[in-house]
Amino acid sequence: MPTLKDTSLIEIPKVHDERGSLAVIEKDVIPFNIKRVYYLYDVPSDSYRGGHAHLEQQSVIIALSGSFEVIVDDGESQKRVMLNKPTQGLFVPTNIWREIDNFSSGAVCLVLASTEYNENEYIRAYEDFKNQSSR
Ligand code: TYD
């Protein structure tokens, strides 16, 4: 089973000049083939998202705008990662529980996903996740 050590921060290359900044996500920056992109926006500051793990989906989570915190949990321990740069992505492998909270006003959370949406590969109950990860 993956552990917190298998999560990682990915640096997204950028080009900056006096006109502004441009960040590029090319194939070799992401450790999987991207099948889907989705984003969270208009998230109230007291709201939290996630609260699940995936049997198949790997993700890279990016704060395109603003900031939020991602709690990753391997069933043994947890860590909180603040994302606040559009050039930084948090890689979350399969079988890691994740929650996202502390959204700043105007935050946009981009998720690059390795799979198409399939509710059957979600683990949405923490108890099920704990049982799964202790096997
Ligand atoms: P949910 O998994 O609760 O979002 P989050 O993990 O970000 O808190 O998804 C919210 C709703 O959107 C839920 O009904 C499933 C649906 N959904 C899709 O239809 N397609 C998708 O790609 C995703 C990620 C969610």
Side-chain angles (χ1 to χ4, degrees):
M1 282 292 169
T3 68
L4 291 187
K5 287 200 192 100
D6 300 307
T7 65
S8 57
L9 280 175
I10 292 172
E11 202 57 40
I12 299 165
K14 70 165 188 227
V15 186
H16 176 77
D17 62 35
E18 62 285 351
R19 299 169 300 159
S21 299
L22 182 156
V24 192
I25 301 172
E26 279 189 303
K27 208 168 167 234
D28 57 352
V29 176
I30 304 300
F32 52 78
N33 288 325
I34 301 167
K35 280 265 178 61
R36 179 169 46 114
V37 175
Y38 65 93
Y39 41 96
L40 306 171
Y41 61 99
D42 285 350
V43 182
S45 59
D46 59 352
S47 180
Y48 93 96
R49 305 291 311 216
H52 50 74
H54 291 275
L55 293 170
E56 288 174 10
Q57 183 187 317
Q58 303 171 69
S59 318
V60 170
I61 302 173
I62 302 167
L64 266 199
S65 181
S67 65
F68 48 80
E69 292 180 293
V70 187
I71 302 132
V72 279
D73 180 333
D74 61 12
E76 290 292 319
S77 42
Q78 298 193 336
K79 73 175 171 187
R80 213 171 236 284
V81 182
M82 151 82 91
L83 292 180
N84 58 5
K85 294 188 190 88
T87 54
Q88 210 167 50
L90 177 66
F91 171 62
V92 183
T94 56
N95 281 297
I96 295 287
W97 187 265
R98 105 272 289 263
E99 294 178 16
I100 312 176
D101 66 7
N102 285 331
F103 283 84
S104 69
S105 154
V108 178
C109 171
L110 183 78
V111 182
L112 310 176
S114 65
T115 60
E116 288 170 12
Y117 174 67
N118 173 13
E119 187 59 37
N120 293 331
E121 64 89 32
Y122 276 73
I123 309 171
R124 290 206 183 259
Y126 190 75
E127 195 58 28
D128 295 343
F129 168 69
K130 279 289 277 184
N131 294 336
Q132 166 89 16
S133 62
S134 62
R135 266 197 276 142

